[in-house]
Each structure stands twice: as structure tokens, then as C-alpha cells.
Amino acid sequence: MELPFAEPYRIKVVEPLRKSTRAEREDWIIKAQYNLFNLRSDQVFIDLLTDSGTGAMSHLQWAEIMQGDESYAGSLSYFKLRDTINTLLGMPYFLPTHQGRAAENVLFSAMIKAGDIVPGNAHFDTTKGHIEFRNAVAVDCTIEEAQDTTLIHPFKGNLDLEKLEKVLSTNPKEKIPLCLITVTCNTSGGQPVSMENIREVSALCRRYRIPVFFDAARFAENAYFIKVREKGYEHKSIREIVLEMFSYVDGATMSSKKDAIVNIGGFIAMRDKALFDKASTFNIMFEGYLTYGGLAGRDLGALAQGLMEGTEFEYLEARIGQVAFLGKKLTEYGIPIQQPTGGHAVFVDAKKFLSHIPKEELQAQTLAVELYLEGGVRSVEIGTLLADRDPVTRENRYPALELLRLAIPRRAYTNNHMDYVAACLKNIWDRRDSIRKGYRIVSEAPIMRHFTLALEKA
Ligand code: F0G
């Protein structure tokens, strides 16, 4: 008999979860004004809000916490991280930051000015926020295939080279400070970018002398997909693939709360000494001195260790296998999801799930509230609320995809939890026609509104 798959780790510490009744949840969600960010964590049974900073650290990462060197300058934990980034990513310069958006803030302060254009593949919301905050524009050049959730395509995070070339050829070079490739592409469903596409984007940008950067939050998951899906990479190790990916770019911003499996942390990696010097000043102003950048020494050590663990094939196979496990269950139940499943989350196609609810009534958010009420599962809307308003017209932007994201924390939940989540969605799927109304916005912030907005029943 062929031996079944089993996780390459065992559990050393457990954290009890609290179940609740439907009546309790109905009360809590009203008090939260139908915004799941407003819930207390003990009002949630299974928390799939995000895979960011929610993973379980290993015993070796906890050992790093004890060994952390808390010196203000020249911390040994910093040098450990510097050497790891140098070896793994092949990047000579790096700046630690407290998380990914801080890396964006520092790098963009050094690179982006008003009126600039930053092409990329469906920039993440904080990334877009940091671009638009500087009165610059983020142009989405993702391939059209990403918009069709039923289409099986191995690399739905890819950039469309024609779309990109149009941006590069119709704008002055001085207005395009960088091109940003998000690996994997969170917004389009945790979808990977192929090595071929990275190579071609890099070559195209080089012709126009535009630097290319990664938003590298989930670079290791991207490398896993290249290994298992792209011809010529099946025999390469994850670390060889990672090194090749980074060889095509000039630098990266990193949210270490994802693929480095830490609860807090980020960094900027780069090749150019002049850019490093310029960004260093902003880092000192916004984050902290160059050898800690808003983190404790212990965090730097855990991050270095996490980068090594996050780039192990067996770990990635278990991690992405669990996402695929949930995706397969939902597909078996007939629930429409973004196919194929991505690296960190299953994305339910809310537009198809609740096709009878008008888009103005926020289909994905409606489904998020239903899922919470059904079983205490917290998910997140990746749709109209997240897309924000157009900065010029102030009209709502209705994105092509209206998704409900079930983001799976790393090494934290078992497949029994996934079964539970799938059953909750199945129950809602079976009674979907009885959901007659969605929600409307009562109040919202001018930018990145989804975190703090209040809703009411439509
Ligand atoms: N880039 C990507 C692709 C991300 O997914 C995130 C965060 C960031 C940058 C910002 O990093 O949170 O460390 O400041 N994504 C989280 C999520 C919040 O839930 O997808 P951060």
C-alpha cells in the first residue's frame, strides 16, 4: 500500500480554541458593525482572516528568541539575518523593517514621487496605498486569464508583457521608478508567477532601463509552484529556484510575516549601493537604526531561521498541500473557487456563490458574515471593500473578481479544521437562495477603508 501524506512536524505546544453559539455570534457581529476586523479573537473559532504573522514558529525559531542579541547597534542577530538573506536571495544589501508595509514606505520614499507610474501584477492593498498616497499610480498588468476563476492556468500571477510594454513605451522613463512583481500574487488568488515570466519581465524592463523589484512576501510558495509546475525546474531545489528568481530583479520588499513564518518582521533587499544609502536615511527616520529597523534582536534571529525553514520542500509541500486539500473539498461540494488553488489561501468566487445579490450589496462581504455566523470562521473580503474608491472620481471601484479569501496560517491548523470550514461553506451553499440581502457602507476612511469601516444590512 502506498503510504499516505503526513506533515513533516509534530505539535509541541497547543493553544485552546473557544467555540461559540450562533446566538452569541449574531450579537457579536452586530456590535462589530458587520466588519470582521472588529471581532475579538476569542469570538472566532477558526481564524482564516490572514496568513500574516499567524503561523506557528518552530522550536529552533523559539531558540533564536532566547539567543537574540539586543544591542542597539551591531547586533549579532542582525548579522545572522544579513548572511541568510545574502546566501538565500543573493542580495548584497538589506534593511530590516518592522513589517512589509514599512519596507514599502521606506523604499517608496526613496524611489517614488508624485505623478509616477508603477506597473505590476495586482499590487497588494498596502502597496497600492503607499503608491497612491504619494500621488502616483499603480497600473495592473496581470494576464487576463487571472480574471476567469474556472480557467486552469498554472501561473495566473503572470504579467501580460504587452500590457507592460504599453505602459513602458507610452510614458517617459523618468516617470516609471520601478516595476513590481508580487510573488505569489495575493490579490489574484495567491497565484504564482512563472520563472519564464519573471525572466521576460526583467528583460523587457532592462530594455527600458526600469528597475524590477519583487514584493516577495510569498516568494518561497512561488518557488514551490515553479518546481512542481514549470518544465525544467522539477529537479532543482527550492533554494536554487529562489536564487534564480532573485537573480532577475534589482531588489525586493518583504513581509516576513508570511513565508519567513514569524509573527512580526520585514525587510528590503537590494543590489544598488546608492539606493541602499538613500533608503537607509528613511529607514533610520521611520523604522530604527540600520541593524534593527523596528524589530527586537530576537525577532531578527527568528526571521533568519524562518527563512531557512520556509524554503524547505517538505514544509512547502505540507503547507500548500493543506490549501489544496481545502480547495478540493469545496470543489467536490460544487462551490465555485479560484482554480487552481494558490499558495496561501482558497479564494471563493462570491460573485458566482451569491449571484442573486447585486454587487452594490457587497457579495464577498455578505458571504464572509454568513460564514462567521454559520461556524465562527473568520475570513476576509477581497473585493469591492478592499478595492477602495477611485482616488480621483471617489466612485467605488468594482473589481472584476469579488472573492472571499480563506487564508490559512502556516503550521497552525489541522486538516480537521479544514473539514470543518468546508462543511460550514457547504451548509451556506445549500441555503444560498435564502440569503436575500447584502450590506451597505455606513462610514469609511478615505484610504484603506476595509480595516475600519462600518456596515449595515442593505
Ligand atoms: N505585500 C503582500 C503581497 C501582502 O500580502 C502583504 C500583506 C503586504 C505586502 C504587506 O505586508 O502586512 O507585513 O505590512 N498581506 C496581509 C494579508 C496583511 O492578509 O494578505 P505587512
Side-chain angles (χ1 to χ4, degrees), residues 113-158:
K113 58 184 187 320
D116 280 354
I117 297 158
V118 183
N121 53 341
H123 311 62
F124 183 66
D125 58 340
T126 60
T127 321
K128 196 156 62 160
H130 273 296
I131 293 169
E132 291 177 351
F133 180 71
R134 290 173 170 79
N135 293 318
V137 183
V139 181
D140 182 8
C141 298
T142 317
I143 55 168
E144 287 302 316
E145 287 89 332
Q147 313 285 358
D148 181 352
T149 55
T150 58
L151 189 90
I152 303 284
H153 183 294
F155 294 103
K156 277 184 168 173
N158 279 358

Side-chain angles (χ1 to χ4, degrees), residues 50 99-101 104 124 126 186 215 218 255 258 405:
T50 180
Q99 61 183 80
R101 66 201 70 184
E104 290 162 2
F124 183 66
T126 60
N186 187 358
D215 175 340
R218 300 179 183 86
S255 167
K258 282 81 169 178
R405 187 183 75 170

Side-chain angles (χ1 to χ4, degrees), residues 174-367:
E174 314 73 65
K175 274 186 169 284
I176 311 175
L178 76 159
C179 170
L180 200 60
I181 312 178
T182 303
V183 286
T184 59
C185 185
N186 187 358
T187 312
S188 71
Q191 298 291 323
V193 181
S194 71
M195 191 74 89
E196 184 186 22
N197 194 248
I198 294 169
R199 199 182 300 124
E200 287 173 349
V201 167
S202 167
L204 180 60
C205 287
R206 194 154 303 153
R207 258 201 283 131
Y208 286 88
R209 284 185 289 127
I210 307 292
V212 182
F213 276 69
F214 278 145
D215 175 340
R218 300 179 183 86
F219 73 97
E221 291 171 4
N222 199 92
Y224 172 86
F225 284 117
I226 289 175
K227 181 174 169 70
V228 299
R229 291 187 185 166
E230 192 163 346
K231 214 170 163 307
Y233 289 93
E234 54 275 38
H235 300 303
K236 297 220 180 224
S237 71
I238 296 293
R239 292 193 191 134
E240 284 170 332
I241 294 170
V242 165
L243 208 48
E244 183 178 338
M245 282 167 62
F246 278 83
S247 74
Y248 300 121
V249 299
D250 300 284
T253 55
M254 174 73 186
S255 167
S256 306
K257 300 167 76 172
K258 282 81 169 178
D259 276 2
I261 331 177
V262 284
N263 303 119
I264 195 72
F267 61 84
I268 311 166
M270 64 214 120
R271 295 189 189 286
D272 184 19
K273 171 80 164 66
L275 177 62
F276 172 74
D277 289 341
K278 194 170 175 196
S280 292
T281 308
F282 291 108
N283 216 65
I284 293 170
M285 274 200 305
F286 299 153
E287 291 296 293
Y289 181 63
L290 305 178
T291 61
Y292 74 87
L295 293 169
R298 61 183 83 106
D299 296 325
L300 300 169
L303 202 174
Q305 175 62 25
L307 282 171
M308 297 310 289
E309 293 175 16
T311 49
E312 279 169 11
F313 177 76
E314 289 72 21
Y315 152 73
L316 285 163
E317 190 181 36
R319 155 51 172 182
I320 293 173
Q322 185 172 56
V323 176
F325 175 87
L326 177 59
K328 187 160 168 274
K329 272 261 136 105
L330 297 180
T331 306
E332 280 164 13
Y333 293 152
I335 296 169
I337 62 166
Q338 170 74 290
Q339 300 282 3
T341 44
H344 66 295
V346 176
F347 289 68
V348 180
D349 189 334
K351 220 182 234 182
K352 292 210 175 93
F353 198 118
L354 294 177
S355 54
H356 58 288
I357 303 268
K359 67 177 190 303
E360 292 76 12
E361 292 184 17
L362 312 166
Q363 295 143 314
Q365 183 66 16
T366 304
L367 188 54

